[in-house]
Amino acid sequence: NAGVTQTPKFRILKIGQSMTLQCTQDMNHNYMYWYRQDPGMGLKLIYYSVGAGITDKGEVPNGYNVSRSTTEDFPLRLELAAPSQTSVYFCASRPRAFEDQPQHFGDGTRLSIL
Amino acid sequence: AQSVTQLGSHVSVSEGALVLLRCNYSSSVPPYLFWYVQYPNQGLQLLLKYTSAATLVKGINGFEAEFKKSETSFHLTKPSAHMSDAAEYFCAVSRNFGNEKLTFGTGTRLTIIP
């Protein structure tokens, strides 16, 4: 049981490039989340999904896009990378609402935009 | 809207001493509160959670937290610090039982002095 898997672990992008951060979970969880973590700022929610085909914006969605075509996968897309998007990105998942279970986190993707 | 404030971005304690990490919350409804721990280059792991069943909550690795409504606090404690406790700790709040969306504090980095 792998839990939440994020790829890649590290990446350096040039300004204006695009990339997709991959996230997959094998726990059959309905809810999935993308966060970014900046030093001294805690975690900020970018996007989340309550099930396949359903996504919604979080606190800091600008510059990002997501899709949820399957229960397992929740990729995060950066279309035009900007230095302000340098951060550590975490994907998380949890079972459906009203189940007393915490969010499970992946190990993160460390992204630098130069 | 709910929020949490973690007092002290860095805390240092001697090995064997009491660990106290502070968290105050603001919520318009009875909150659900969580403490997560993050070890270097890893994702977040749940330490403990308060969901109104009991005001004193025991978690993993000897940590516990007490919900005090009158003080709007949910401080994390451990009687005797161990070197392996060195990590970053995040307090988080959710307004509903299913923790659909979490709001994180800015984190407290705990250093253990040998």
Side-chain angles (χ1 to χ4, degrees):
Chain A
N1 192 341
V4 179
T5 303
Q6 292 184 239
T7 56
K9 294 189 183 301
F10 304 93
R11 184 74 184 268
I12 297 175
L13 281 182
K14 295 182 178 179
I15 295 171
Q17 286 185 321
S18 62
M19 79 163 293
T20 300
L21 281 65
Q22 301 291 345
C23 175
T24 187
Q25 52 90 10
D26 61 359
M27 298 173 284
N28 200 33
H29 286 173
N30 289 82
Y31 283 58
M32 295 188 74
Y33 307 82
W34 274 107
Y35 296 91
R36 59 177 289 171
Q37 182 181 29
D38 300 305
M41 299 295 290
L43 277 75
K44 302 291 186 183
L45 182 64
I46 305 172
Y47 271 96
Y48 70 103
S49 169
V50 301
I54 306 170
T55 63
D56 205 352
K57 296 178 180 179
E59 186 179 358
V60 289
N62 292 343
Y64 306 95
N65 282 298
V66 293
S67 60
R68 185 94 181 272
S69 57
T70 67
T71 298
E72 295 78 18
D73 300 306
F74 190 41
L76 178 71
R77 179 81 176 168
L78 283 71
E79 292 293 350
L80 291 171
S84 61
Q85 294 177 305
T86 293
S87 189
V88 182
Y89 292 85
F90 288 99
C91 180
S93 73
R94 64 174 301 279
R96 69 180 70 249
F98 305 110
E99 289 187 10
D100 188 15
Q101 294 294 322
Q103 294 187 16
H104 297 256
F105 284 79
D107 286 341
T109 293
R110 285 149 186 80
L111 181 62
S112 293
I113 315 295
L114 304 176
Chain B
Q2 63 269 9
S3 65
V4 289
T5 300
Q6 292 185 242
L7 299 176
S9 57
H10 292 86
V11 171
S12 295
V13 301
S14 298
E15 190 175 15
L18 172 71
V19 175
L20 171 60
L21 304 182
R22 299 177 186 275
C23 173
N24 287 88
Y25 69 90
S26 171
S27 178
S28 57
V29 298
Y32 296 93
L33 295 157
F34 307 82
W35 275 100
Y36 281 84
V37 61
Q38 184 182 33
Y39 297 103
N41 298 316
Q42 294 186 24
L44 279 69
Q45 303 172 33
L46 181 70
L47 269 180
L48 49 81
K49 59 186 178 184
Y50 166 76
T51 55
S52 78
T55 57
L56 182 62
V57 182
K58 295 187 183 298
I60 61 172
N61 302 338
F63 284 93
E64 62 182 36
E66 186 173 8
F67 174 73
K68 292 186 176 181
K69 185 177 179 180
S70 61
E71 300 177 7
T72 62
S73 69
F74 191 57
H75 302 331
L76 182 70
T77 61
K78 182 174 181 177
S80 177
H82 191 274
M83 295 300 294
S84 61
D85 295 329
E88 188 150 20
Y89 292 79
F90 292 93
C91 184
V93 64
S94 171
R95 67 175 183 180
N96 59 36
F97 177 69
N99 78 90
E100 177 181 306
K101 289 194 288 185
L102 292 173
T103 299
F104 286 88
T106 53
T108 297
R109 184 168 299 279
L110 177 64
T111 299
I112 310 299
I113 303 167

